[in-house]
Amino acid sequence: MSLWTSLEPASSTVDPGGSTKVRLRLRNTGDVVDEYRFEPVGEVAPWTSVEPRSLRLYPGTTGTVELTFAPPRSPDASAGPHPYAVRITPTEHPEATTVPEGNLTITPFTEVRAELVPPTVKGRFRGRSRLAIDNLGNTRLTASVGGGDTGDHLSYDIHPGNVQIEPGRAAFVRATLRPRQIIWFGSKEQRPYALSVQRSGVKAQPVEGTYVQRGFLPRWLATFLGVFMALAITFVMLWLAYKPQVRSAATEKLQEAGVSTLPPSPSPSLPLPPPSIPAQAPTQEAPPTPTGKPAGGGGGGGGQGKKKEETKAPVVTAATAVTRLAADDPGVRHICYRAYETGEGWQKPVCDGALAGTVGQNRPIKSLNLAVSGTKGVNGNEFVHVKEWLNPWTSVADGVDLYLGSTKADDPYMLAFGINVGEGTICQNAHVHDQAWLGLQCNKPPSYIFGGTLDQSLWLEAVKFTV
């Protein structure tokens, strides 16, 4: 089975909103009678019709069908060449489908619609409106926008001044209108104006609107102020001309005695201090008790010597460290802190951005001990494993130990913390198990800063603080 086809012409042109026809000729070069069905394909298929839809041919005979192209006058029918094709399917041999191809060129057309939103604007010193420009053509629109009015009463600030709009799209241009002269007194005045859409080689398309300019002060108020000023001036002139000479006898007696009639001026009072984190007494860890025994009685005893009292070194807490640091470096803000690690206990205090805890050794932090100087106190709260937020906020003053979490063996380890200071900025960086450092974060009161994680499968490993 074989088939011969021909499109006449192979290329054609059509205007949007019009139509054109192309003839498709075909010959049955096979040896059996066959019926052929026709179906347009391609991007112009919705605008293509085939007549007849099917054709029956004997061997060696030729038939003709007409293709009619009718693109709409809309942005959907874009300008330019468009390839098309017709699928021909034989009834007896469907597998031997033939698809002849052609080319259809759609001519360009331009259609612009412009509208002012709102058409009327009001104002004393300026008014704002928008110009909506719709491209209803099938080619890209390039235009400039300008403004004008009769009498040159207004100035125009238009943005953008030039637009490019694709087919089927719209653009909005903002226009600010300003009167060249302000109406200080009087009623409002209407000033017609127009914004024009100018395309190359085409007459400008104006869109008319109205700017209602209001007076700064109403006319009746100007009249009232004029009358009031005239009356005031008249009253002052009459007062100066006929001011009565009245003096009090009591005042004369006081002047003769040298006594002032002015009341005594009150003494200034000191302002109350602003609220801050409540000060608390230092709550450091209890110092160790001496283990030595007391000396014996002093009667007639036989010269018994005294044993040296065995003393235990005092515990160095965060408050101890920050107090020493503040004494060595007065006038500077400091923060000291230490961590209680699972299975290891308390570390030595570190200060001002140093690392407390460990990284990568699988030792969760159970408790944190912090103390500050120069920040008007510190307060905080802790988020622990399983129990989540453990306690309400705890506040301490400068130089006092703040404890977060618990060092008891059965108590859970820490996952996160919240903290802030009474004055200034506090920064933190936390390291969480199986993760990197979470990054430096800072805040100012009354906001608190959060560090760590809320994931119950992780824990807090190390921290750094600065103030």
Side-chain angles (χ1 to χ4, degrees):
M1 178 269 170
S2 60
L3 178 68
W4 172 85
T5 61
S6 174
L7 286 170
E8 300 175 356
S11 297
S12 58
T13 302
V14 64
D15 296 327
S19 64
T20 188
K21 295 178 184 268
V22 173
R23 179 178 298 174
L24 172 62
R25 297 179 61 197
L26 66 161
R27 179 184 296 117
N28 183 358
T29 58
D31 53 1
V32 295
V33 178
D34 209 340
E35 183 177 1
Y36 304 94
R37 293 186 178 90
F38 307 95
E39 179 185 3
V41 294
E43 56 181 306
V44 298
W47 316 319
T48 307
S49 61
V50 182
E51 186 64 32
R53 301 291 295 182
S54 63
L55 188 63
R56 185 179 181 86
L57 294 178
Y58 288 91
T61 60
T62 302
T64 303
V65 297
E66 281 191 348
L67 307 178
T68 303
F69 301 98
R73 187 178 175 83
S74 72
D76 296 332
S78 58
H82 298 269
Y84 70 90
V86 180
R87 182 185 293 116
I88 304 175
T89 305
T91 303
E92 298 296 330
H93 302 279
E95 71 281 356
T97 300
T98 302
V99 185
E101 297 179 354
N103 188 72
L104 178 69
T105 300
I106 300 177
T107 59
F109 77 95
T110 303
E111 185 176 344
V112 180
R113 182 175 61 193
E115 180 182 6
L116 276 173
V117 183
T120 301
V121 293
K122 302 178 182 179
R124 293 180 175 86
F125 305 106
R126 66 181 175 215
R128 293 189 176 95
S129 64
R130 294 199 305 170
L131 179 64
I133 305 175
D134 295 291
N135 182 7
L136 303 180
N138 63 351
T139 60
R140 177 185 294 180
L141 170 67
T142 302
S144 60
V145 181
D149 61 278
T150 304
D152 196 24
H153 296 293
L154 304 173
S155 63
Y156 303 87
D157 182 10
I158 299 174
H159 182 79
N162 297 279
V163 293
Q164 283 191 347
I165 311 173
E166 297 296 330
R169 299 289 184 177
F172 290 89
V173 177
R174 298 187 300 273
T176 301
L177 315 176
R178 291 185 174 87
R180 298 188 184 276
Q181 292 183 351
I182 299 175
I183 302 176
W184 294 104
F185 302 99
S187 59
K188 59 186 178 182
E189 295 186 10
Q190 294 188 358
R191 306 199 184 277
Y193 72 97
L195 298 182
S196 58
V197 180
Q198 179 66 58
R199 292 175 288 148
S200 178
V202 181
K203 186 178 179 181
Q205 178 179 343
V207 183
E208 296 181 351
T210 303
Y211 173 65
V212 179
Q213 183 179 358
R214 296 171 175 170
F216 185 74
L217 295 176
R219 190 178 298 277
W220 66 266
L221 182 59
T223 304
F224 172 79
L225 290 178
V227 174
F228 178 79
M229 290 296 298
L231 292 176
I233 293 173
T234 303
F235 175 78
V236 171
M237 293 179 65
L238 292 175
W239 173 262
L240 293 177
Y242 300 99
K243 181 174 65 174
Q245 302 294 328
V246 179
R247 299 187 66 183
S248 172
T251 303
E252 292 177 354
K253 294 295 183 181
L254 288 173
Q255 290 177 351
E256 292 176 359
V259 179
S260 174
T261 60
L262 297 175
S265 59
S267 59
S269 60
L270 295 176
L272 294 176
S276 61
I277 297 176
Q280 295 182 358
T283 57
Q284 299 183 359
E285 297 179 359
T289 56
T291 58
K293 296 181 180 180
Q304 184 178 359
K306 294 182 180 179
K307 292 184 180 180
K308 294 183 178 180
E309 293 183 353
E310 296 178 0
T311 60
K312 189 176 180 180
V315 177
V316 179
T317 66
T320 307
V322 82
T323 302
R324 295 174 182 173
L325 191 58
D328 295 337
D329 192 11
V332 180
R333 295 153 45 91
H334 296 287
I335 181 170
C336 295
Y337 45 93
R338 57 177 181 154
Y340 187 97
E341 292 189 302
T342 303
E344 295 293 327
W346 285 109
Q347 294 181 331
K348 293 182 179 180
V350 295
C351 302
D352 297 337
L355 183 147
T358 57
V359 175
Q361 299 185 20
N362 295 331
R363 296 177 184 171
I365 292 178
K366 293 195 63 175
S367 178
L368 287 174
N369 169 213
L370 304 95
V372 296
S373 66
T375 66
K376 292 187 178 180
V378 62
N379 59 7
N381 198 355
E382 61 270 46
F383 187 90
V384 300
H385 181 62
V386 180
K387 296 183 179 181
E388 299 187 351
W389 292 108
L390 188 60
N391 294 316
W393 287 87
T394 305
S395 304
V396 298
D398 284 357
V400 180
D401 283 307
L402 171 68
Y403 288 93
L404 303 178
S406 174
T407 60
K408 294 182 180 180
D410 296 334
D411 284 349
Y413 51 81
M414 291 182 62
L415 276 69
F417 56 85
I419 190 171
N420 70 356
V421 291
E423 180 181 81
T425 303
I426 182 171
C427 302
Q428 67 83 24
N429 196 353
H431 192 287
V432 176
H433 175 65
D434 282 344
Q435 297 185 13
W437 288 97
L438 301 182
L440 184 66
Q441 297 181 354
C442 303
N443 78 320
K444 292 184 178 181
S447 300
Y448 73 91
I449 195 166
F450 173 84
T453 177
L454 302 180
D455 189 342
Q456 293 285 349
S457 64
L458 303 176
W459 58 78
L460 189 65
E461 283 190 339
V463 293
K464 298 177 182 178
F465 295 100
T466 56
V467 292

